[in-house]
Amino acid sequence: MIKSLKLKNWRSHKDSEFEFTEGTNVLVGRMGSGKSSAMDALCFALFGSFPALQRKEVELSEIIMTRPSMENEAIVEMEFSYNGKNYKVERKIFRKKTNQAKLYCNGVLIAGPKVSDVTKAVEREIELNYELFSRAVYSEQNQLDYFLRMTPLKRKEKFDELLELDKYEKARKSAVNVKNTLKKIMEERAQQLKNQREQFNKKELSVLKKEINALEEKIKKSHKEIEEKKEKLKEEEAFVKRLIEKREKFKSLKEKEISLKSRVSSWKEEIKSIETSIGKKIELISKENAEKQKEKTSIEIKEIEKKLLESREIESKIRETIARQEQLMEEKKALLSRIPPGLENKKKLSFEEEKLQKEIEKNKNEKEKIEKELLELSKKETALREKEAVTSEKREREKELLSHLEKASSKCPLCQSELSKSTREKLLEEKRKTINELKATEKKIFSEIKKLTESREMLEEKKNKIEKEAQTLGEREIIIRELKKTIERIERISLKAMESEKEKNALLEKKKEIEKGANAKALEEKEEALKRIEAILEGIAKFKRLKEDLKELEETTQQITALGFNEEKAMKAEREVTEKREKINSLALEVSSLKELLAEKEKRKKELNQRKKTIEELERKTKAMKIVDEKMAFFINSLKATQSELRSSLIGSINKAMDSLWKKLYPYKDYESAKIEISKGNYLLKAKTSSGKWINIEGRMSGGERSAAALTLRIAFSLVLARNLGWIILDEPTHNLDENAINKLSEMMRNELPKIVEQVFLITHSKEMEKAASGALYLLKKEDEKGGFTRAELLPLR
């Protein structure tokens, strides 16, 4: 049973809630009021779709409210029970992100947030999918008599689709197509087998075997000859290899000798150049003394550079200090320009502040006094208005009594006792006098209220003036506070400026002290001395390398002489080895050609053997396909028989249900029952007359009778196809019905239908159909017919 449905931003439903019960639940309202969209939401909550969305008549994003306000999401929540369990499903649609869904069972989340997971879970839990729900449970707008309006042939096609019998027909047609395809393949295979047999030559295969054996023997002999020649060649190649290694060594030593001679010559020239620049012979200079002198000079240079760097850092700090002083003076000048003349010191400013505080206190006291007076006036006015209301009520009561007496009544209007004429006249006079006195009292009260109102308005005007003065005083207080802060800031700036001046003077003294022992000229002299020492050390190192290279040159010359390499003898040995290698290669090339020929013949042999296997395989497959063809014929006949048997069984079940339902749902006396009859491949809808004769329904029934027949057929389908689900949804079932037919349909849906179906949902614009409600009755209407929100109002049952 569906318990509740909540819609947020769903089409015209801004925030609608529905509570449903057993029996017939009715949603009534004008066209376009949001009735059908509520049932679409119910269907969507369960299956994530509804008929119009399934047919692509509407996009899911169009469901989100656009008028009277543009929303970014829509939410549907539904609670229902099934098989003793309570469920809650929630679905959210977004414009710019992935849609979400959740399913709870007895308060525990069992699926979500993936939409498809929730749909599968719902179908599993209620044992019903969308297709079956839309076929058997949900009757769309004005579609109750949909099956009655069809031709018998079209009705058969639609019923077979609803009963899923069309799947057997589709399977049978597919099987026939497969059988025809098999037949075509068998014909092609037969032709292929014929061609293969024509191309196969057994004699050619025998000749090829002999030729292959002869070639293999010849290749074997050639391989043996090549191996013998290669064995003899190995010794000669080893001798040539040793000659080549000796040549490489000889070449390497000659290159090294040339390189060493070149380096010796270069060292001598460079050493001579250094000796000329320093005016001394390198070999007479001590390397140890030169290195000590270099270290001493390097230390002196570093000391001078360190002092020069420190001097530059101090100079940078001096510039920063001067810049900071200038910035402080600029800031002080700017702050002084903001202070009005005469308020440059704190004493004057404190005096002005004290004077202002007295004015603020005075203003505050005046405001409190006026507010107190206004409160008193308000209390007096409230008391007078209450007194005026009591007096007016009393006067109206006296007027009623006077009117009763003036109508010549002989009874007292209060105690209902009999009145004499004189007593009545006396009472009339008293009542008129009392009324006049009460009028005078009311006039006096009104005059007093008017005076109080005038006084209150004057006080409020005075209060407004004081509040404006208070605002002005507040602004002045803020200005004085800011001026105090400005003067304090100027004092701090002056102090900082004095500290910066002291810091600058100290830095100047320090810089002067540092520059006494270090300057750029002293640094330049020390750097020149260092360069000369480095040149001496470089000359010493090169002289050492010269001696080493001279020794290595002598050793290399001795190695070349000892090697005793002969280039002419080596070249002759290489030529002889090359000629023998070429003869072996030529023989190997001949073997390669023989192998290629052998490969071609092997390939041809393989092709012939393959063709032989193909012929055998084709013969086997052709035989197997003949067996499959025979089985397909049996399968096609079985499908046809199964379809016919299922059709008879399902139509029989529906007819039994229709016969049982007819007496409860058909409110007329013209026909006793109804059924579906299969005739020449068509589905005829027939009704049984009181005389027991079965006649065709088409063209005979009135609108009301057709609605009853259509409802019977729809519920019969629901009971057969969805046995466990006690719901049915009928959207505008009163299409083309007169007033009498609507009344009868309403009575049947209220009194009889709930006995068959646990829960019925009826969507209608007819006020008469409100009588059908035995569960909940909702009136749906829009605040503004051109695009306002839908409001759902729960009505009492009629």
Side-chain angles (χ1 to χ4, degrees):
M1 185 181 78
I2 296 172
K3 296 179 178 179
S4 67
L5 179 68
K6 295 180 182 179
L7 309 178
K8 185 175 181 181
N9 302 329
W10 178 274
R11 290 192 166 171
S12 62
H13 292 270
K14 179 66 177 175
D15 197 359
S16 299
E17 293 190 18
F18 302 91
E19 299 288 336
F20 300 118
T21 65
E22 292 181 359
T24 303
N25 298 272
V26 179
L27 272 64
V28 65
R30 291 184 180 180
M31 299 292 285
S33 61
K35 307 184 300 296
S36 296
S37 64
M39 288 302 101
D40 286 343
L42 187 149
C43 183
F44 182 79
L46 290 169
F47 304 106
S49 186
F50 52 87
L53 182 64
Q54 198 76 3
R55 294 192 297 268
K56 300 190 184 301
E57 293 171 3
V58 64
E59 294 288 336
L60 191 55
S61 60
E62 295 173 19
I63 301 304
I64 304 173
M65 179 177 284
T66 56
R67 292 188 305 167
S69 63
M70 176 65 75
E71 303 295 339
N72 292 318
E73 66 175 24
I75 301 173
V76 177
E77 289 183 15
M78 190 176 85
E79 293 185 19
F80 64 94
S81 61
Y82 186 75
N83 280 347
K85 296 178 181 178
N86 293 315
Y87 296 90
K88 179 182 176 183
V89 62
E90 177 188 293
R91 292 186 186 264
K92 293 183 179 181
I93 309 167
F94 301 99
R95 289 193 190 279
K96 295 182 179 179
K97 59 180 180 179
T98 306
N99 298 333
Q100 296 178 358
K102 292 178 183 177
L103 177 64
Y104 299 87
C105 177
N106 293 331
V108 178
L109 181 70
I110 61 172
K114 194 175 178 182
V115 172
S116 59
D117 289 349
V118 171
T119 302
K120 287 176 185 175
V122 169
E123 291 177 348
R124 182 183 66 246
E125 294 295 317
I126 68 172
E127 303 171 287
L128 188 75
N129 59 26
Y130 170 77
E131 292 299 323
L132 196 53
F133 181 86
S134 62
R135 291 168 180 173
V137 178
Y138 192 178
S139 171
E140 290 186 76
Q141 194 174 54
N142 302 328
Q143 296 297 309
L144 183 64
D145 63 345
Y146 175 66
F147 297 122
L148 274 65
R149 289 187 270 114
M150 291 179 174
T151 63
L153 180 59
K154 187 70 178 176
R155 190 180 296 124
K156 174 187 176 298
E157 292 174 2
K158 193 64 181 176
F159 279 17
D160 279 1
E161 182 186 335
L162 290 174
L163 300 172
E164 297 189 347
L165 294 171
D166 60 326
K167 292 181 179 178
Y168 289 90
E169 182 60 23
K170 289 174 183 176
R172 190 189 67 78
K173 287 179 179 179
S174 296
V176 170
N177 290 335
V178 169
K179 190 174 184 303
N180 292 334
T181 303
L182 276 172
K183 185 179 178 183
K184 188 177 179 182
I185 292 169
M186 285 168 64
E187 289 171 356
E188 290 174 354
R189 290 263 170 91
Q191 184 61 43
Q192 191 179 0
L193 186 58
K194 182 183 176 183
N195 294 337
Q196 289 290 343
R197 282 172 177 164
E198 288 173 356
Q199 292 174 14
F200 183 66
N201 189 336
K202 289 184 179 179
K203 187 177 179 182
E204 183 185 357
L205 184 61
S206 178
V207 171
L208 270 173
K209 286 180 180 178
K210 290 178 182 178
E211 290 176 349
I212 286 168
N213 290 334
L215 281 169
E216 285 175 344
E217 186 63 30
K218 191 174 181 180
I219 290 168
K220 189 177 178 182
K221 287 180 180 179
S222 297
H223 271 303
K224 187 178 179 183
E225 185 181 352
I226 289 169
E227 288 304 315
E228 289 172 354
K229 289 183 179 291
K230 281 184 176 180
E231 195 64 35
K232 290 178 181 179
L233 185 62
K234 277 182 182 179
E235 292 179 8
E236 295 180 22
E237 283 180 333
F239 176 70
V240 169
K241 185 181 180 183
R242 288 194 296 274
L243 285 175
I244 291 169
E245 288 173 357
K246 193 178 277 190
R247 176 194 287 154
E248 291 299 318
K249 193 174 181 181
F250 176 79
K251 187 179 178 183
S252 174
L253 288 168
K254 287 298 287 182
E255 287 175 355
K256 186 178 180 182
E257 183 184 40
I258 293 166
S259 175
L260 285 167
K261 285 178 179 179
S262 175
R263 273 160 55 188
V264 165
S265 176
S266 177
W267 290 136
K268 286 179 178 179
E269 288 179 5
E270 290 176 11
I271 290 166
K272 187 178 179 181
S273 175
I274 291 168
E275 286 176 340
T276 303
S277 65
I278 64 174
K280 285 184 182 181
K281 282 282 184 180
I282 292 295
E283 56 189 301
L284 302 176
I285 298 172
S286 169
K287 182 183 177 184
E288 188 179 348
N289 291 338
E291 286 176 346
K292 285 181 180 179
Q293 189 63 36
K294 180 185 177 183
E295 186 179 354
K296 182 184 174 185
T297 307
S298 296
I299 290 167
E300 290 172 350
I301 288 170
K302 283 179 182 177
E303 286 294 327
I304 294 170
E305 285 176 342
K306 185 179 177 183
K307 287 183 177 181
L308 288 173
L309 179 61
E310 190 178 354
S311 176
R312 285 194 292 273
E313 287 174 354
I314 290 169
E315 190 176 345
S316 176
K317 286 180 182 178
I318 291 167
R319 285 196 296 272
E320 287 174 7
T321 305
I322 292 168
R324 190 162 58 249
Q325 282 180 314
E326 290 173 352
Q327 186 179 356
L328 287 168
M329 295 312 293
E330 285 293 326
E331 188 178 352
K332 182 179 178 181
K333 186 179 177 182
L335 289 171
L336 284 169
S337 66
R338 296 181 197 172
I339 301 172
L343 297 175
E344 293 87 353
N345 59 65
K346 283 186 180 179
K347 192 174 179 182
K348 280 191 175 183
L349 206 57
S350 297
F351 175 76
E352 286 295 324
E353 187 177 17
E354 188 179 340
K355 182 180 173 184
L356 179 63
Q357 287 301 323
K358 288 178 181 178
E359 291 179 27
I360 289 170
E361 187 65 28
K362 182 182 176 184
N363 179 274
K364 183 181 176 182
N365 293 336
E366 287 178 2
K367 184 182 176 183
E368 287 174 354
K369 183 182 176 183
I370 289 169
E371 284 176 345
K372 190 175 179 182
E373 290 176 7
L374 280 169
L375 183 63
E376 289 297 322
L377 287 174
S378 178
K379 287 179 181 177
K380 287 179 182 179
E381 187 177 350
T382 301
L384 283 170
R385 290 196 183 279
E386 288 174 356
K387 187 178 178 182
E388 182 184 31
V390 170
T391 306
S392 177
E393 186 181 351
K394 190 174 179 182
R395 181 172 57 79
E396 287 299 321
R397 203 162 50 243
E398 293 295 324
K399 279 177 73 178
E400 286 178 12
L401 293 170
L402 179 66
S403 175
H404 187 75
L405 287 168
E406 285 176 343
K407 289 178 182 176
S409 174
S410 61
K411 289 185 179 182
C412 176
L414 296 174
C415 63
Q416 297 298 309
S417 61
E418 292 293 330
L419 295 173
S420 63
K421 188 175 180 182
S422 61
T423 304
R424 179 174 170 275
E425 288 297 326
K426 187 179 179 182
L427 281 171
L428 283 170
E429 187 178 348
E430 285 176 359
K431 293 298 174 189
R432 289 188 185 107
K433 184 180 178 183
T434 302
I435 288 167
N436 288 333
E437 287 173 353
L438 288 169
K439 280 183 179 178
T441 302
E442 279 184 289
K443 188 175 180 181
K444 185 180 177 183
I445 290 168
F446 178 77
S447 177
E448 288 176 6
I449 289 171
K450 188 178 179 183
K451 287 178 182 178
L452 283 172
T453 303
E454 288 172 355
S455 299
R456 180 169 49 77
E457 286 174 353
M458 286 174 66
L459 282 170
E460 283 177 349
E461 187 178 346
K462 192 173 180 182
K463 182 186 172 185
N464 290 336
K465 187 177 178 182
I466 288 168
E467 284 175 346
K468 286 180 182 178
E469 287 175 1
Q471 185 178 352
T472 304
L473 291 169
E475 289 170 358
R476 283 174 59 196
E477 186 179 22
I478 291 166
I479 291 167
I480 288 171
R481 200 181 299 127
E482 289 299 318
L483 285 172
K484 281 180 76 177
K485 288 180 183 178
T486 303
I487 290 170
E488 287 170 0
R489 174 67 180 157
I490 289 167
E491 289 172 352
R492 287 196 297 274
I493 288 168
S494 298
L495 187 62
K496 283 183 181 180
M498 288 172 66
E499 288 172 356
S500 291
E501 183 64 26
K502 288 179 182 178
E503 185 181 348
K504 183 185 75 171
N505 292 334
L507 287 168
L508 286 168
E509 284 297 322
K510 191 175 181 182
K511 184 174 181 291
K512 189 176 179 182
E513 186 66 29
I514 288 167
E515 287 177 350
K516 284 180 182 179
N519 53 59
K521 187 177 179 182
L523 180 64
E524 188 180 346
E525 287 173 356
K526 291 293 179 183
E527 284 175 346
E528 285 295 326
L530 182 63
K531 283 179 184 178
R532 189 169 179 277
I533 294 164
E534 285 174 346
I536 290 168
L537 286 169
E538 184 185 355
I540 292 167
K542 286 180 178 180
F543 186 76
K544 183 182 177 184
R545 291 292 303 277
L546 172 62
K547 288 196 290 183
E548 289 170 356
D549 284 351
L550 283 169
K551 185 180 178 182
E552 190 177 356
L553 177 59
E554 186 180 350
E555 289 172 356
T556 302
T557 305
Q558 288 172 359
Q559 287 173 6
I560 290 169
T561 305
L563 190 61
F565 174 72
N566 190 319
E567 180 66 28
E568 188 178 340
K569 186 179 178 182
M571 288 178 67
K572 183 181 178 183
E574 282 181 355
R575 279 196 302 271
E576 288 173 357
V577 168
T578 302
E579 287 169 3
K580 289 178 181 180
R581 195 182 288 124
E582 284 175 357
K583 285 178 182 179
I584 292 170
N585 289 340
S586 177
L587 191 59
L589 189 61
E590 185 181 342
V591 171
S592 178
S593 299
L594 289 171
K595 283 182 178 180
E596 286 178 6
L597 181 60
L598 177 64
E600 287 293 326
K601 292 192 179 290
E602 288 280 6
K603 184 180 177 183
R604 180 60 181 162
K605 178 187 171 184
K606 188 177 179 182
E607 286 175 359
L608 288 171
N609 284 327
Q610 187 62 42
R611 185 165 285 126
K612 184 181 177 182
K613 285 182 182 178
T614 301
I615 290 167
E616 292 169 354
E617 184 68 17
L618 283 170
E619 288 171 346
R620 186 186 64 76
K621 286 183 178 178
T622 302
K623 187 178 178 181
M625 288 183 78
K626 284 179 181 177
I627 296 169
V628 173
D629 185 57
E630 290 169 3
K631 288 182 178 179
M632 283 301 296
F634 176 75
F635 177 66
I636 289 163
N637 292 331
S638 297
L639 279 173
K640 195 169 183 180
T642 304
Q643 184 185 24
S644 177
E645 189 175 337
L646 280 172
R647 180 181 285 113
S648 299
S649 175
L650 287 168
I651 294 298
S653 297
I654 290 168
N655 283 338
K656 283 180 183 178
M658 285 180 69
D659 184 59
S660 173
L661 293 168
W662 188 266
K663 297 175 181 63
K664 298 174 183 177
L665 301 181
Y666 186 70
Y668 307 96
K669 298 180 181 179
D670 299 349
Y671 304 103
E672 294 180 356
S673 185
K675 70 176 182 179
I676 301 167
E677 185 177 287
I678 304 171
S679 175
K680 297 178 182 179
N682 295 328
Y683 283 3
L684 302 175
L685 288 175
K686 293 200 168 187
K688 187 179 181 181
T689 64
S690 56
S691 62
K693 185 179 179 181
W694 288 94
I695 62 169
N696 289 335
I697 286 177
E698 279 85 2
R700 292 176 180 269
M701 286 187 169
S702 66
E705 290 173 329
R706 286 173 66 85
S707 291
L711 186 58
T712 302
L713 182 60
R714 174 70 69 170
I715 295 171
F717 264 102
S718 177
L719 293 175
V720 172
L721 298 178
R723 295 178 185 273
N724 298 328
L725 200 68
W727 307 337
I728 190 164
I729 301 170
L730 304 172
D731 194 348
E732 297 292 2
T734 60
H735 183 60
N736 293 331
L737 296 185
D738 58 26
E739 187 176 347
N740 181 51
I742 289 173
N743 284 331
K744 286 184 178 292
L745 182 63
S746 173
E747 289 175 15
M748 181 268 288
M749 285 190 174
R750 180 185 179 92
N751 301 321
E752 301 300 332
L753 192 53
K755 296 176 184 176
I756 303 162
V757 182
E758 181 185 14
Q759 198 173 32
V760 180
F761 295 93
L762 173 62
I763 312 302
T764 181
H765 66 275
S766 170
K767 291 288 287 181
E768 282 300 316
M769 289 302 290
E770 290 183 18
K771 298 175 185 175
S774 62
L777 172 61
Y778 282 96
L779 172 63
L780 272 66
K781 55 185 178 181
K782 284 190 176 181
E783 292 178 343
D784 176 6
E785 293 299 324
K786 292 184 179 180
F789 300 133
T790 292
R791 297 293 182 195
E793 179 185 353
L794 182 65
L795 301 179
L797 298 182
R798 293 175 63 178

